Amino acid sequence: MPRDATFAITTEGLGKVDIAVREYGSGPPLVLVHGLMTAGYSFRYVLDLPGARHRLLIPDLPGAGHSDHPDVYLGPDVLARSIIATIDALGVRGAPVIGNSMGGYLCMRAALIDVGAIGRLVNLHSPGVPTARM
């Protein structure tokens, strides 16, 4: 049964916002980051297998799902820094992350901003290189 929680994070681009996080399974942490125009619920059909071996932490990015929808520019670096702050708030710095679509792109940016935030990254269906044009 999934467990839902809310964590407050503070970043320069967002200020203080509440981030909704769903937790599922048990074991070492694994963070799942959703893509554009969706929320953490997009992983609902694939929770059982990884949740049997990992404690899945599935945040809704700012502006999505049950997280706060701040009236600020939600550009790539703002959202990447929110991922770092969320990982820190959850106490899972250095955990592996799976990012889907835009979530993978944002996680690549997060890893470039803060090399210790993400241990390993699986990037599903997103651009392979985070360039300024994107």
Side-chain angles (χ1 to χ4, degrees):
M1 181 67 128
R3 297 168 296 282
D4 297 323
T6 302
F7 295 86
I9 64 167
T10 303
T11 67
E12 185 179 323
L14 290 171
K16 184 177 180 182
V17 295
D18 286 337
I19 301 296
V21 178
R22 174 163 284 186
E23 185 177 340
Y24 186 85
S26 62
L30 174 62
V31 180
L32 306 179
V33 180
H34 67 83
L36 181 65
M37 304 297 291
T38 187
Y41 78 90
S42 63
F43 290 105
R44 67 192 176 279
Y45 297 119
V46 297
L47 296 179
D48 288 338
L49 188 60
R53 299 179 68 179
H54 294 276
R55 174 179 159 228
L56 304 178
L57 298 162
I58 312 157
D60 289 343
L61 292 171
H66 295 289
S67 288
D68 283 348
H69 294 243
D71 189 18
V72 298
Y73 173 64
L74 296 175
D77 284 341
V78 170
L79 290 173
R81 290 180 195 284
S82 78
I83 292 168
I84 296 165
T86 299
I87 287 170
D88 287 342
L90 292 169
V92 295
R93 187 170 185 76
V97 176
I98 297 175
N100 182 51
S101 189
M102 181 191 73
Y105 171 74
L106 295 173
C107 289
M108 285 190 295
R109 290 187 80 97
L112 292 170
I113 292 168
D114 183 344
V115 297
I118 295 171
R120 293 181 179 176
L121 174 60
V122 174
N123 187 356
L124 298 175
H125 307 292
S126 88
V129 179
T131 64
R133 292 186 315 173
M134 302 172 95

